[in-house]
Amino acid sequence: MSADLFRAIPESKLAVSAEGIKRQMSARIPTNVPYVVDNLWEWLRPEHYPSRRHSTYASPTPELALLNASAALAGSDRYVACRLIVAPSAIKLAQLEVVDARHHADIRLITQWFSRHSKKLTEIPITQKRDIALLFLPGLKRDELETLRLESAVVHELCEVVQTHSTFWTDASSVPRKGEGELFFELIEEGAGYHLEPI
């Protein structure tokens, strides 16, 4: 990792962040994309890329960090841009081509597949509809989706399309760039953490 990473946090949280922030063990399901999309992206994720469900989001510049800050502010609190201090060996990192994953072309690919197949999907037996419905649950694990793909012809068909045409991971970079693409990283070492240094 050669470039700096930045995060913006409420000024009131600076003291806590100075002590260090540890890896979050429980999964957080990204809310900026539909669950079905998140599930398919997690299923497709190459091992050398971070899981969005355990990731911390950062920016390649302080200005973008301030622009993308989303933590709740109370009273007269304000955001402060901070340099992220972390050992490069302690993280897996990904940077997208788009400013936010919710703008990624894969979302349209997946929603259009459902639109094109809506008539077919309304006519399939209820057991197959249940298989499709499972794709829309939050936090479907990779092995759960893989099992579903192997057991359901309809899910298999969707997965084939996504596997062939998805560009989410193929366009991502594991080295941070100065561009405006969404950037996220996962702490991978046991007990690893990072510090935030106000700038």
Side-chain angles (χ1 to χ4, degrees), residues 155-176:
V155 174
H156 187 275
E157 183 182 341
L158 169 62
C159 287
E160 290 265 300
V161 169
V162 174
Q163 198 165 35
T164 303
H165 299 290
S166 170
T167 59
F168 186 82
W169 295 111
T170 55
D171 288 351
S173 171
S174 57
V175 177

Side-chain angles (χ1 to χ4, degrees), residues 3 14 45-46 82 85 94 103 106 119 127 146 156-157 163 172-173 178 186:
L14 284 175
R45 179 176 59 84
C82 301
I85 311 298
H103 303 303
D106 278 9
K119 186 174 187 313
T127 53
E146 180 60 16
H156 187 275
E157 183 182 341
Q163 198 165 35
S173 171
K178 282 293 182 190
E186 180 180 3

Side-chain angles (χ1 to χ4, degrees), residues 7-12 14 62 65-66 69 73 77-83 196-199:
R7 281 181 59 79
I9 62 168
E11 190 172 34
S12 61
L14 284 175
L66 287 167
L73 292 175
D77 211 355
R78 67 184 183 96
Y79 291 118
V80 176
C82 301
R83 180 174 280 105
L196 293 175
E197 179 184 274
I199 55 171

Side-chain angles (χ1 to χ4, degrees), residues 131-147:
D131 291 340
I132 290 288
L134 291 173
L135 291 174
F136 290 84
L137 291 176
L140 198 62
K141 295 184 175 105
R142 295 170 85 168
D143 60 331
E144 292 170 336
L145 199 150
E146 180 60 16
T147 299

